[in-house]
Amino acid sequence: MPQRDEGSTRGICGQLRRVALLPLDERPCNSVYPALVGRVAGVEVVVPPRSLLGLKKRAGDPRALGEWLKEQAQTADALVVAADTLAFGGLIPSRVSDLTQEEALANLQVLPAIHAARPELPIYAHSVIMRLPAYNSADEEPDYWDDFGARLHLYSTLLDALDQGSQAWDSLRQAGLLAGVEQWAAAAGAGAGGAEAARGGCTFDQARNLRSRLEAEIPAEIRKDWQWRRQRNHALNEVMVRWAAAGVVQFLALTQDDSSPVGLPAREQRALTRLIAETGAYRRVLLYPGADEVGMVLVARLVNRAAGWRPRFWLRFSSTLGPTVVPRYEDRPLLEGIKGQVLAVGGRLAAAPQDADIHLFVNSPGRWQGEAPEQDQPGADHGGWRNLPEFLQSLADTLGGSTLGGHEGAHPGPADDGHPAAVPERPDGPGRCPLVALADVAYANGADRALVEMLPSYIWPLDLAAYAGWNTAGNTLGTVLAHSCLRRAGLNLPAGLERDAADQAHREFLLLRFAEDWAYQADVRQKMAAGPVAQLGISPYELGAHATAIARQAMDSLNAALQRWVARWQEDRTVGPLGSTAELGIQAGQGAWKGGDAAPERQGTPAPARRCGPSVSVTVEDLQFPWNRLFEVQLRVRVDSQHDQNSTTKEE
């Protein structure tokens, strides 16, 4: 087949207007978020009718979805395709489906057919390396995971580590990558070498004994089925890599869902890395941690390519060791994951802050990444291993040099010598002004409550180009990078109704992230689990007929939290660079300080009071549980501000 450089999208798409997206599944993060962030850049993202998509373990219809994709390919400017959905009908079905490898691959043949019919059409695809959770739960896995999930995870670790040989075993153990195996060995008893493991670490020979013990405990038919599923999905990933090398798809994101450094998923990654090298598909295929954010990332990549723009990112962390921390559910240091996400949106890291288009502030873990629901426990606040006031002051100082925030005419802030800095130009001008985005990955599965609650004391939150703090580090980072890139594109739309709609879409998605990632995931979800769910004696993973009543209570709690938080934007507060203060008067119902007025100076004395932004209200008008459990939430959020008296609504 003829090959085409992925970077040639600009000449093919011209003004990218309409993208057809086949999502990873029906959850809002996959089926709704890409359309919401697409609007931030004035791009329409269409998805299949809900009736064609599945519901958790119930698969969508791969053949009908393939027909939908072929129909959309006739008029769309580009396609974004989740290969797992095209092959199996969704992410969870890709783990539990009994389709054979041949049947699944037959479903994928839609892609070469589309490419043959329209070779100029950009097709961006993503495919997931099957996860391997370390706990007993069949909620998203085959039924036998209820009883054997934890042992299968240990067995996977042993298979991979032992296959690498005794020398590699010792190196992995010394690096702390086999701690789970050693803990299990210590609890397994002396018969499995547990006593010795507890004293001096699990040796290579003891590990082989543990593998034999697990093989005796896990029925052979379960081990066979589990390995068959992994081999089937791995074969499909190999096909996708070969298709990327041949130009059937112009770009492929191979992402690792809920990963760890050792185990069969890591072995499959190494095999796919070798295949990428053998086929020469380096610039067409990326392999990195992620899953549910990839639809947004690929929409942003398309927009960046259509604009001929390679965004440059400068990184700023809240902790010294943060870049080296391996986040939960991932297999590499945080900085390495960031590099993968930056490349995936079509960007690069800046050599210096003054060279950057986007400043990415990363609220990173201090020494390890905890879980957001547990951040109130002793020691979970990272102690002296992180400095939020310094981090937020740097964020405020950087935003002080930008006029491209959420409100009009933000103060340029002081230069290093105490005199007002020059106002930078728009991002398409020669004095490129950076946007500022905030990725909140100090905890997994929710925002850092301290960070978000402190934020209004330092900045006007609508000045951010993006924010997120949900699920895995990869989920958050991909969301923030995609949104900030699309915000940049939206800012370059000509003034008028389209630009106004893009600005409103930006505000809505930004505040939607605070509503879900902070107010719900990091707070209200735990209150619902400990309150009404516990009182009813039901599982937070199966709400049953009580879902509507619980959703109503959760929505009331969300609105109360959001109203308190937004009200702080409308209160007087003291903020300024380190070593000085500036009194900023923020009044409810009053407009922003306009850049055309005289800017108040801050030269060692308090500045005159000024208004930092419009009157804003955020209201959750609907809340649902798409999988009938507390973990995922679907919100409809209404955002009103003085920027647009005609408020609109967006739905997750």
Side-chain angles (χ1 to χ4, degrees), residues 315-318 334 338 360-364 391 438-439 441 477:
L315 307 180
R316 177 72 158 80
F317 295 88
S318 63
L334 176 61
I338 292 174
L360 178 63
F361 280 73
V362 183
N363 181 31
S364 49
F391 176 71
L438 176 57
V441 296
L477 289 162

Side-chain angles (χ1 to χ4, degrees), residues 586-623:
I586 306 172
Q587 304 291 331
Q590 293 183 336
W593 170 73
K594 303 297 182 181
D597 301 335
E601 296 186 2
R602 295 185 286 182
Q603 301 183 38
T605 60
R610 66 180 176 89
R611 305 182 188 99
C612 283
S615 173
V616 176
S617 68
V618 186
T619 307
V620 178
E621 296 188 323
D622 186 40
L623 186 152

